[in-house]
Each structure stands twice: as structure tokens, then as C-alpha cells.
Amino acid sequence: MFCSHNSPMRVAGRLVLALLVVVLTGCNEDEGVTRLKIGHTLDPTHTVHKAMLVMDKELQSLSGGTMAIDLYPSGQLGSERELIELLQIGSLAMTKVSASPLESFVPEMKIFNIPYLFRDKQHYLNVLDSEVGQALLDAPTAVRLRGLGYFDAGSRSFYSTKKPINTPDDLTGLKIRVQESQTAMRMVSSLGGSPTPVSWGELYTALQQGVVDGAENNPPSFYLSHHYEVAPYFTLDEHSAVPDVLLMSDYVWQHLTAQQRQWVQQAVAVAVQYQRKQWQIDTEHALQQVAADGVTIIRPDKSLFRAKVEIMLADYEASPLGDTIRAIQEVR
């Protein structure tokens, strides 16, 4: 399931992953306490990590101290793709991944990468909490993954190292980092850029060294990753709203009791509500901070970007995802 390129870094990564598979179990008993291991790629200051701390506290409270969570942030256990693979074999209990790389495992998830699919922020959140949102959350069970909830990851926008992006034409010739998502790659191509997949952990250096000329992400991630230090132009075109998905290993889930599963779901619900409220605060704070540090924040005419990618929505409406798209559009 790995790419075929055998660079020293990738080989070393495989060896580390193999070691982790040997030494990690997603769920273990420690003096009568069931401990669930969670790995993710974000910094401990990120709102998602803080939400997981809330989830741990809630789980311990609900279970009377018989369940707890062990957290491994900052990519300690691998990239998002590697974390998904660890879940599939039961070597990790839970992870948070963007819906973008998840589409390689669950094709239905590509729907979140369709640009300008949602009318506004409230429509996006309502979709996540609707029946269609739940159906998408249930889809990973086909590949031994269990969707537990959606964290808000806001809207994704472009940032660049070389020049401001005021219109889609400004993307022409720029190498733009994207996640491992065919849909995201097509979007950048449609807008005139050159999509270049780079792992999140390697992106700062890639921007600094000119391997890529820009990337796209939400404001908190742009700020907390310190990418603003090497990419001084941030364009709020808000082309897509791709949620973070909290996943659990189906193998680990099946080894929990019915009561333990209920506690986990309750703790997740509390964490999701906390994260969504905190996300808006963090987004406003991030924009204020990067502006204070000299980043030029551009608020472009979004209709210019939307017009360039309308063909993508039309194509997907005629695909097997068409019914889901129409269901999303009908959510009030």
C-alpha cells in the first residue's frame, strides 16, 4: 500500500512503521484500565489535539477510570496514510485524518474535495450532522475502519511564497502542495496550478527550499505550522471545506464491550462539540497573528475561482456520487 519509490527516507519510514506494528497494540489493559492509543500528525497546540485531551478526560469520567487514552501527536507514529494502515491491522486504536487522504481508502470521501460544494459554513456543518453526513461516516467500515465523528477543519485557501494570488491566473505555473487526493490534484490543475503531493511533515522545508511555491490549508494550520514564515501571501478563496474525520480501528472496536463502545461514542460527542466551538476562535486568532507578523491576507473575488472549477461539480453530478451531491444540496 506504499508508493514504490525506495528513497532512503521512505525505506527508513517503512522500517519504523514495521517496528511500530510489532510494539504497538491499539488497545491494551494496564492494571485494569483499557488504554486506547491515538496517533495524529498535528501539533499539541492544535485544537484537535486539545479536543482529544477533552475526550480522554470525558472517557475516564464516564468509565469510572477504567478507560483512558494515550496520545501520540506530531506524526510520531507516521503520516496520515500510515496511521490509517495501522488502524486497519489493529496496531492503533484511533486517529484523526483529513477526508482528503482518506479518499484513497474510501472513494466516497472524495466528495469533500469538490470545490465550492457547500453554500456557506452553516450548510457545511449541517451536512456533517445530517443523515448524508452519517452515511459518509459509516462508509469506512468496508475497509476495517469505523468513523466516529467529524472535527471542523474550516475552509481551505491558498498561500504562496512567491507572489500574491488574487485570481486563478496567478496560480499559473506555481507548484502547489496538495494532499494525497486525486480530487484535490484535479482542482489545482483546473485552477491553473501544478499540483504536487508533499507530506505535511515535510512541507515547511519544501516551501523554504522552493520544492513547491505554495500550498492550501485552513488558517490555524497555516499559523501553527509556521508556514507563514516562508509563505507571506494568504488568499482566502475558501475553495473547499474538508473535515477531519475521527477514525477507530474496527478490530479494536470489536474487542470493546457494548458499554465501552457507548462510553467512547459519548466522549467523542463531547470532544466534537468542544472542538467546533474552539475552531472558530482559533481561526480568528490565527488570521490576526499572521497579519501581525507581516502576512498579506487577500480576500479575492471567489466567483472567479468558482467559475474555473464548475466543470468538476458537473462531472461528479453525473458520476456515482451524484445522488450524494444532490442530497447535500438539499440539506437546509
Side-chain angles (χ1 to χ4, degrees):
M1 301 183 76
F2 295 96
C3 294
S4 60
H5 304 295
N6 291 313
S7 66
M9 184 177 295
R10 186 169 295 276
V11 170
R14 291 179 181 177
L15 292 174
V16 170
L17 182 58
L19 178 62
L20 288 170
V21 170
V22 172
V23 301
L24 282 180
T25 55
C27 171
N28 59 34
E29 293 287 337
D30 182 8
E31 297 182 352
V33 179
T34 299
R35 309 194 69 87
L36 302 175
K37 289 184 170 64
I38 303 183
H40 65 81
T41 61
L42 299 172
D43 186 274
T45 59
H46 197 284
T47 179
V48 166
H49 183 83
K50 294 175 184 176
M52 289 178 175
L53 294 174
V54 169
M55 182 166 60
D56 177 36
K57 183 178 179 180
E58 186 69 14
L59 184 60
Q60 291 192 48
S61 175
L62 289 168
S63 68
T66 62
M67 295 189 76
I69 289 170
D70 292 335
L71 278 170
Y72 299 85
S74 304
Q76 293 178 49
L77 304 185
S79 66
E80 290 200 333
R81 183 180 183 87
E82 290 166 340
L83 292 173
I84 292 172
E85 292 171 347
L86 286 174
L87 254 65
Q88 289 180 308
I89 60 175
S91 290
L92 191 65
M94 300 169 70
T95 190
K96 181 291 307 176
V97 298
S98 170
S100 290
L102 187 55
E103 75 175 53
S104 297
F105 300 81
V106 185
E108 294 91 335
M109 286 293 170
K110 70 176 60 175
I111 202 159
F112 289 113
N113 273 299
I114 299 174
Y116 300 107
L117 176 63
F118 303 103
R119 293 188 293 274
D120 52 35
K121 180 61 176 285
Q122 193 57 56
H123 179 224
Y124 159 70
L125 292 175
N126 289 349
V127 168
L128 297 185
D129 295 334
S130 69
E131 290 184 4
V132 64
Q134 185 59 50
L136 289 165
L137 199 59
D138 291 340
T141 55
V143 289
R144 306 188 303 282
L145 303 169
R146 183 166 294 270
L148 296 180
Y150 294 107
F151 288 132
D152 185 6
S155 297
R156 300 178 74 89
S157 295
F158 290 110
Y159 50 94
S160 63
T161 62
K162 288 186 173 181
K163 62 179 182 179
I165 299 170
N166 295 294
T167 71
D169 290 342
D170 294 322
L171 286 164
T172 302
L174 296 186
K175 294 172 290 186
I176 302 296
R177 179 265 179 179
V178 293
Q179 294 176 296
E180 290 188 47
S181 159
Q182 291 299 317
T183 316
M185 293 179 70
R186 182 183 175 189
M187 176 200 66
V188 170
S189 294
S190 298
L191 290 169
S194 177
T196 308
V198 176
S199 72
W200 179 247
E202 297 173 356
L203 181 51
Y204 185 99
T205 302
L207 289 164
Q208 188 177 46
Q209 296 181 351
V211 175
V212 292
D213 304 311
E216 46 92 46
N217 216 318
N218 53 62
S221 294
F222 176 62
Y223 171 56
L224 293 173
S225 63
H226 293 273
H227 291 173
Y228 65 91
E229 296 172 351
V230 290
Y233 305 103
F234 193 87
T235 300
L236 289 171
D237 63 296
E238 298 180 317
H239 48 261
S240 61
V242 182
D244 283 337
V245 182
L246 184 63
L247 292 174
M248 187 165 191
S249 164
D250 193 58
Y251 176 86
V252 173
W253 177 264
Q254 297 300 334
H255 282 75
L256 298 179
T257 67
Q259 180 62 79
Q260 287 175 323
R261 294 174 188 176
Q262 183 178 356
W263 288 333
V264 169
Q265 288 281 18
Q266 288 177 287
V268 167
V270 171
V272 165
Q273 289 307 308
Y274 165 85
Q275 190 272 340
R276 291 188 187 180
K277 290 178 182 178
Q278 189 64 36
W279 180 259
Q280 189 58 41
I281 297 171
D282 288 355
T283 297
E284 294 170 2
H285 175 71
L287 289 173
Q288 291 170 359
Q289 289 299 114
V290 297
D293 283 324
V295 171
T296 300
I297 297 177
I298 301 153
R299 291 176 169 81
D301 182 351
K302 296 179 187 177
S303 67
L304 299 177
F305 292 82
R306 186 180 292 111
K308 283 276 191 176
V309 293
E310 281 180 343
I311 186 62
M312 286 184 65
L313 180 58
D315 287 349
Y316 282 115
E317 285 177 333
S319 77
L321 289 177
D323 289 342
T324 304
I325 291 173
R326 286 182 281 276
I328 287 174
Q329 292 170 334
E330 290 172 3
V331 173
R332 294 183 178 275

Short mmCIF file of all heavy atoms in Angstrom, two decimals, residues 26-74:
data_model
loop_
_atom_site.label_atom_id
_atom_site.label_comp_id
_atom_site.label_asym_id
_atom_site.label_seq_id
_atom_site.Cartn_x
_atom_site.Cartn_y
_atom_site.Cartn_z
N GLY A 26 -3.32 -1.48 19.53
CA GLY A 26 -4.22 -0.33 19.60
C GLY A 26 -4.91 -0.18 20.93
O GLY A 26 -5.27 0.91 21.34
N CYS A 27 -5.10 -1.28 21.63
CA CYS A 27 -5.82 -1.26 22.89
C CYS A 27 -5.17 -2.27 23.82
O CYS A 27 -4.95 -3.41 23.43
CB CYS A 27 -7.29 -1.61 22.64
SG CYS A 27 -8.27 -1.87 24.11
N ASN A 28 -4.84 -1.85 25.04
CA ASN A 28 -4.28 -2.81 25.97
C ASN A 28 -4.78 -2.56 27.38
O ASN A 28 -5.33 -1.51 27.69
CB ASN A 28 -2.74 -2.80 25.92
CG ASN A 28 -2.16 -1.43 26.26
OD1 ASN A 28 -2.70 -0.70 27.08
ND2 ASN A 28 -1.05 -1.09 25.62
N GLU A 29 -4.60 -3.55 28.21
CA GLU A 29 -5.01 -3.47 29.61
C GLU A 29 -3.81 -3.13 30.46
O GLU A 29 -2.75 -3.75 30.36
CB GLU A 29 -5.60 -4.81 30.07
CG GLU A 29 -6.93 -5.17 29.39
CD GLU A 29 -8.09 -4.34 29.87
OE1 GLU A 29 -8.01 -3.80 30.99
OE2 GLU A 29 -9.08 -4.22 29.13
N ASP A 30 -3.94 -2.11 31.29
CA ASP A 30 -2.87 -1.68 32.17
C ASP A 30 -3.44 -1.52 33.56
O ASP A 30 -4.10 -0.53 33.88
CB ASP A 30 -2.27 -0.36 31.66
CG ASP A 30 -1.12 0.13 32.51
OD1 ASP A 30 -0.68 -0.62 33.40
OD2 ASP A 30 -0.66 1.27 32.29
N GLU A 31 -3.22 -2.54 34.40
CA GLU A 31 -3.73 -2.53 35.78
C GLU A 31 -5.23 -2.26 35.82
O GLU A 31 -5.72 -1.43 36.58
CB GLU A 31 -2.97 -1.50 36.62
CG GLU A 31 -1.48 -1.80 36.74
CD GLU A 31 -0.74 -0.79 37.61
OE1 GLU A 31 -1.36 0.23 37.98
OE2 GLU A 31 0.44 -1.01 37.89
N GLY A 32 -5.95 -2.99 34.97
CA GLY A 32 -7.39 -2.88 34.96
C GLY A 32 -7.95 -1.72 34.16
O GLY A 32 -9.17 -1.52 34.11
N VAL A 33 -7.07 -0.94 33.51
CA VAL A 33 -7.51 0.21 32.70
C VAL A 33 -7.33 -0.12 31.22
O VAL A 33 -6.23 -0.48 30.80
CB VAL A 33 -6.71 1.48 33.05
CG1 VAL A 33 -7.16 2.64 32.17
CG2 VAL A 33 -6.87 1.83 34.52
N THR A 34 -8.39 -0.02 30.44
CA THR A 34 -8.30 -0.21 29.00
C THR A 34 -7.79 1.08 28.37
O THR A 34 -8.47 2.11 28.43
CB THR A 34 -9.67 -0.58 28.41
OG1 THR A 34 -10.12 -1.80 28.98
CG2 THR A 34 -9.58 -0.74 26.89
N ARG A 35 -6.61 1.04 27.78
CA ARG A 35 -5.98 2.23 27.23
C ARG A 35 -6.03 2.17 25.71
O ARG A 35 -5.56 1.21 25.10
CB ARG A 35 -4.54 2.35 27.73
CG ARG A 35 -4.39 2.23 29.25
CD ARG A 35 -3.03 2.68 29.72
NE ARG A 35 -2.87 4.12 29.57
CZ ARG A 35 -3.26 5.01 30.50
NH1 ARG A 35 -3.83 4.60 31.61
NH2 ARG A 35 -3.08 6.31 30.29
N LEU A 36 -6.59 3.20 25.11
CA LEU A 36 -6.70 3.32 23.66
C LEU A 36 -5.60 4.23 23.14
O LEU A 36 -5.46 5.37 23.61
CB LEU A 36 -8.07 3.89 23.27
CG LEU A 36 -9.30 3.12 23.76
CD1 LEU A 36 -10.57 3.88 23.38
CD2 LEU A 36 -9.32 1.72 23.18
N LYS A 37 -4.82 3.75 22.18
CA LYS A 37 -3.75 4.55 21.60
C LYS A 37 -4.27 5.37 20.41
O LYS A 37 -4.88 4.83 19.50
CB LYS A 37 -2.60 3.65 21.16
CG LYS A 37 -1.81 3.03 22.31
CD LYS A 37 -0.63 2.23 21.80
CE LYS A 37 0.29 1.83 22.94
NZ LYS A 37 -0.35 0.93 23.91
N ILE A 38 -4.00 6.67 20.45
CA ILE A 38 -4.40 7.58 19.36
C ILE A 38 -3.16 8.27 18.83
O ILE A 38 -2.40 8.87 19.59
CB ILE A 38 -5.40 8.64 19.83
CG1 ILE A 38 -6.66 8.01 20.42
CG2 ILE A 38 -5.80 9.54 18.65
CD1 ILE A 38 -7.71 9.01 20.84
N GLY A 39 -2.95 8.20 17.52
CA GLY A 39 -1.87 8.93 16.88
C GLY A 39 -2.44 9.92 15.88
O GLY A 39 -3.47 9.66 15.25
N HIS A 40 -1.79 11.07 15.76
CA HIS A 40 -2.19 12.03 14.73
C HIS A 40 -0.99 12.87 14.33
O HIS A 40 0.07 12.79 14.97
CB HIS A 40 -3.37 12.91 15.19
CG HIS A 40 -3.05 13.81 16.35
ND1 HIS A 40 -2.40 15.01 16.21
CD2 HIS A 40 -3.30 13.69 17.68
CE1 HIS A 40 -2.26 15.60 17.39
NE2 HIS A 40 -2.80 14.82 18.30
N THR A 41 -1.13 13.68 13.30
CA THR A 41 0.03 14.40 12.74
C THR A 41 0.10 15.85 13.19
O THR A 41 1.02 16.56 12.78
CB THR A 41 -0.04 14.36 11.20
OG1 THR A 41 -1.24 15.01 10.77
CG2 THR A 41 -0.02 12.93 10.68
N LEU A 42 -0.83 16.30 14.01
CA LEU A 42 -0.91 17.71 14.36
C LEU A 42 -0.08 18.05 15.60
O LEU A 42 0.23 17.19 16.42
CB LEU A 42 -2.37 18.11 14.60
CG LEU A 42 -3.29 17.95 13.39
CD1 LEU A 42 -4.73 18.17 13.79
CD2 LEU A 42 -2.88 18.88 12.25
N ASP A 43 0.23 19.34 15.70
CA ASP A 43 0.97 19.86 16.84
C ASP A 43 0.08 19.80 18.11
O ASP A 43 -1.13 19.95 18.02
CB ASP A 43 1.35 21.32 16.54
CG ASP A 43 2.24 21.91 17.60
OD1 ASP A 43 1.70 22.42 18.60
OD2 ASP A 43 3.47 21.88 17.43
N PRO A 44 0.67 19.62 19.30
CA PRO A 44 -0.13 19.58 20.53
C PRO A 44 -0.90 20.86 20.83
O PRO A 44 -1.82 20.84 21.65
CB PRO A 44 0.93 19.31 21.62
CG PRO A 44 2.03 18.61 20.91
CD PRO A 44 2.08 19.23 19.54
N THR A 45 -0.52 21.97 20.18
CA THR A 45 -1.26 23.21 20.40
C THR A 45 -2.50 23.30 19.52
O THR A 45 -3.30 24.23 19.68
CB THR A 45 -0.36 24.43 20.12
OG1 THR A 45 0.11 24.37 18.77
CG2 THR A 45 0.83 24.46 21.07
N HIS A 46 -2.67 22.36 18.60
CA HIS A 46 -3.81 22.39 17.68
C HIS A 46 -5.10 22.04 18.41
O HIS A 46 -5.12 21.25 19.35
CB HIS A 46 -3.57 21.39 16.54
CG HIS A 46 -4.44 21.60 15.35
ND1 HIS A 46 -5.77 21.23 15.31
CD2 HIS A 46 -4.18 22.16 14.13
CE1 HIS A 46 -6.27 21.53 14.13
NE2 HIS A 46 -5.33 22.10 13.40
N THR A 47 -6.19 22.67 17.97
CA THR A 47 -7.48 22.46 18.62
C THR A 47 -7.93 20.99 18.59
O THR A 47 -8.61 20.53 19.50
CB THR A 47 -8.56 23.34 17.96
OG1 THR A 47 -9.81 23.09 18.59
CG2 THR A 47 -8.72 23.04 16.48
N VAL A 48 -7.54 20.24 17.57
CA VAL A 48 -7.92 18.82 17.51
C VAL A 48 -7.23 18.04 18.64
O VAL A 48 -7.84 17.19 19.28
CB VAL A 48 -7.58 18.21 16.13
CG1 VAL A 48 -7.63 16.69 16.19
CG2 VAL A 48 -8.56 18.72 15.09
N HIS A 49 -5.96 18.35 18.88
CA HIS A 49 -5.26 17.68 19.99
C HIS A 49 -5.91 18.05 21.32
O HIS A 49 -6.11 17.18 22.19
CB HIS A 49 -3.78 18.07 20.00
CG HIS A 49 -2.99 17.38 21.06
ND1 HIS A 49 -2.46 16.11 20.90
CD2 HIS A 49 -2.63 17.76 22.33
CE1 HIS A 49 -1.83 15.74 21.99
NE2 HIS A 49 -1.92 16.72 22.88
N LYS A 50 -6.26 19.32 21.47
CA LYS A 50 -6.93 19.74 22.71
C LYS A 50 -8.26 19.02 22.87
O LYS A 50 -8.64 18.63 23.98
CB LYS A 50 -7.16 21.25 22.68
CG LYS A 50 -5.89 22.08 22.70
CD LYS A 50 -6.19 23.55 22.55
CE LYS A 50 -4.93 24.40 22.47
NZ LYS A 50 -5.25 25.84 22.23
N ALA A 51 -8.97 18.81 21.77
CA ALA A 51 -10.24 18.09 21.81
C ALA A 51 -10.04 16.64 22.24
O ALA A 51 -10.87 16.06 22.95
CB ALA A 51 -10.94 18.15 20.46
N MET A 52 -8.93 16.06 21.81
CA MET A 52 -8.64 14.68 22.21
C MET A 52 -8.33 14.59 23.70
O MET A 52 -8.65 13.58 24.35
CB MET A 52 -7.48 14.13 21.38
CG MET A 52 -7.87 13.87 19.93
SD MET A 52 -6.48 13.27 18.95
CE MET A 52 -7.31 12.94 17.38
N LEU A 53 -7.71 15.63 24.27
CA LEU A 53 -7.50 15.67 25.71
C LEU A 53 -8.84 15.74 26.44
O LEU A 53 -9.03 15.10 27.48
CB LEU A 53 -6.62 16.88 26.08
CG LEU A 53 -5.17 16.85 25.58
CD1 LEU A 53 -4.48 18.16 25.91
CD2 LEU A 53 -4.41 15.68 26.20
N VAL A 54 -9.77 16.52 25.89
CA VAL A 54 -11.12 16.59 26.44
C VAL A 54 -11.79 15.22 26.36
O VAL A 54 -12.46 14.77 27.31
CB VAL A 54 -11.97 17.65 25.69
CG1 VAL A 54 -13.45 17.55 26.05
CG2 VAL A 54 -11.44 19.05 25.97
N MET A 55 -11.59 14.53 25.23
CA MET A 55 -12.17 13.21 25.04
C MET A 55 -11.62 12.23 26.08
O MET A 55 -12.36 11.41 26.64
CB MET A 55 -11.87 12.72 23.62
CG MET A 55 -12.47 11.37 23.28
SD MET A 55 -12.43 11.04 21.50
CE MET A 55 -10.68 11.11 21.15
N ASP A 56 -10.32 12.30 26.34
CA ASP A 56 -9.70 11.43 27.34
C ASP A 56 -10.30 11.69 28.72
O ASP A 56 -10.67 10.75 29.44
CB ASP A 56 -8.20 11.67 27.36
CG ASP A 56 -7.48 10.85 28.43
OD1 ASP A 56 -7.89 9.70 28.67
OD2 ASP A 56 -6.51 11.37 29.04
N LYS A 57 -10.43 12.95 29.07
CA LYS A 57 -10.99 13.31 30.39
C LYS A 57 -12.42 12.81 30.51
O LYS A 57 -12.81 12.26 31.55
CB LYS A 57 -10.93 14.83 30.57
CG LYS A 57 -11.43 15.30 31.92
CD LYS A 57 -11.31 16.82 32.05
CE LYS A 57 -11.83 17.30 33.40
NZ LYS A 57 -11.71 18.78 33.53
N GLU A 58 -13.21 12.99 29.46
CA GLU A 58 -14.60 12.56 29.48
C GLU A 58 -14.70 11.04 29.55
O GLU A 58 -15.55 10.49 30.27
CB GLU A 58 -15.32 13.08 28.23
CG GLU A 58 -16.81 12.82 28.20
CD GLU A 58 -17.59 13.63 29.21
OE1 GLU A 58 -17.03 14.60 29.77
OE2 GLU A 58 -18.78 13.29 29.45
N LEU A 59 -13.84 10.35 28.80
CA LEU A 59 -13.87 8.88 28.79
C LEU A 59 -13.51 8.33 30.16
O LEU A 59 -14.13 7.37 30.65
CB LEU A 59 -12.91 8.35 27.73
CG LEU A 59 -12.89 6.83 27.52
CD1 LEU A 59 -14.27 6.31 27.11
CD2 LEU A 59 -11.86 6.44 26.46
N GLN A 60 -12.51 8.92 30.79
CA GLN A 60 -12.14 8.47 32.13
C GLN A 60 -13.28 8.70 33.12
O GLN A 60 -13.56 7.85 33.98
CB GLN A 60 -10.88 9.20 32.60
CG GLN A 60 -9.62 8.80 31.84
CD GLN A 60 -8.36 9.31 32.50
OE1 GLN A 60 -8.18 9.14 33.71
NE2 GLN A 60 -7.48 9.93 31.72
N SER A 61 -13.96 9.84 32.97
CA SER A 61 -15.08 10.15 33.86
C SER A 61 -16.25 9.18 33.66
O SER A 61 -16.79 8.64 34.62
CB SER A 61 -15.54 11.59 33.63
OG SER A 61 -16.70 11.89 34.40
N LEU A 62 -16.62 8.95 32.42
CA LEU A 62 -17.75 8.07 32.12
C LEU A 62 -17.49 6.64 32.57
O LEU A 62 -18.40 5.94 33.03
CB LEU A 62 -18.04 8.09 30.61
CG LEU A 62 -18.65 9.37 30.04
CD1 LEU A 62 -18.59 9.35 28.51
CD2 LEU A 62 -20.10 9.53 30.50
N SER A 63 -16.24 6.20 32.41
CA SER A 63 -15.90 4.81 32.69
C SER A 63 -15.47 4.57 34.14
O SER A 63 -15.10 3.45 34.50
CB SER A 63 -14.79 4.35 31.75
OG SER A 63 -13.56 5.02 32.05
N GLY A 64 -15.49 5.62 34.94
CA GLY A 64 -15.03 5.47 36.31
C GLY A 64 -13.55 5.14 36.39
O GLY A 64 -13.10 4.43 37.31
N GLY A 65 -12.79 5.64 35.43
CA GLY A 65 -11.35 5.42 35.42
C GLY A 65 -10.90 4.10 34.84
O GLY A 65 -9.72 3.77 34.89
N THR A 66 -11.84 3.35 34.23
CA THR A 66 -11.47 2.04 33.67
C THR A 66 -11.07 2.13 32.20
O THR A 66 -10.65 1.13 31.62
CB THR A 66 -12.63 1.04 33.81
OG1 THR A 66 -13.76 1.51 33.06
CG2 THR A 66 -13.02 0.86 35.27
N MET A 67 -11.21 3.31 31.59
CA MET A 67 -10.76 3.52 30.21
C MET A 67 -10.01 4.84 30.14
O MET A 67 -10.34 5.81 30.84
CB MET A 67 -11.94 3.55 29.23
CG MET A 67 -12.69 2.25 29.10
SD MET A 67 -13.89 2.31 27.72
CE MET A 67 -12.80 2.12 26.30
N ALA A 68 -9.00 4.90 29.29
CA ALA A 68 -8.20 6.10 29.11
C ALA A 68 -7.59 6.11 27.72
O ALA A 68 -7.63 5.10 27.01
CB ALA A 68 -7.11 6.19 30.18
N ILE A 69 -7.03 7.24 27.34
CA ILE A 69 -6.45 7.43 26.02
C ILE A 69 -4.98 7.80 26.15
O ILE A 69 -4.61 8.63 26.98
CB ILE A 69 -7.21 8.53 25.24
CG1 ILE A 69 -8.60 8.04 24.83
CG2 ILE A 69 -6.42 8.99 24.02
CD1 ILE A 69 -9.50 9.13 24.29
N ASP A 70 -4.13 7.19 25.34
CA ASP A 70 -2.71 7.56 25.22
C ASP A 70 -2.54 8.27 23.88
O ASP A 70 -2.85 7.71 22.83
CB ASP A 70 -1.81 6.33 25.26
CG ASP A 70 -1.80 5.66 26.63
OD1 ASP A 70 -2.07 6.34 27.63
OD2 ASP A 70 -1.52 4.44 26.69
N LEU A 71 -2.05 9.51 23.93
CA LEU A 71 -1.94 10.34 22.73
C LEU A 71 -0.52 10.41 22.20
O LEU A 71 0.44 10.56 22.96
CB LEU A 71 -2.42 11.76 23.03
CG LEU A 71 -3.93 12.01 22.99
CD1 LEU A 71 -4.25 13.39 23.54
CD2 LEU A 71 -4.45 11.88 21.58
N TYR A 72 -0.39 10.30 20.85
CA TYR A 72 0.90 10.41 20.17
C TYR A 72 0.74 11.44 19.04
O TYR A 72 0.37 11.10 17.92
CB TYR A 72 1.32 9.06 19.59
CG TYR A 72 1.51 7.98 20.64
CD1 TYR A 72 0.43 7.22 21.09
CD2 TYR A 72 2.77 7.73 21.18
CE1 TYR A 72 0.60 6.23 22.06
CE2 TYR A 72 2.95 6.75 22.15
CZ TYR A 72 1.86 6.00 22.58
OH TYR A 72 2.03 5.04 23.55
N PRO A 73 1.00 12.73 19.32
CA PRO A 73 0.81 13.78 18.32
C PRO A 73 2.02 13.97 17.41
O PRO A 73 3.01 13.22 17.49
CB PRO A 73 0.59 15.02 19.19
CG PRO A 73 1.46 14.76 20.39
CD PRO A 73 1.38 13.26 20.64
N SER A 74 1.92 14.96 16.55
CA SER A 74 3.05 15.46 15.74
C SER A 74 3.66 14.42 14.81
O SER A 74 4.85 14.46 14.52
CB SER A 74 4.14 16.03 16.66
OG SER A 74 3.62 17.04 17.50
#
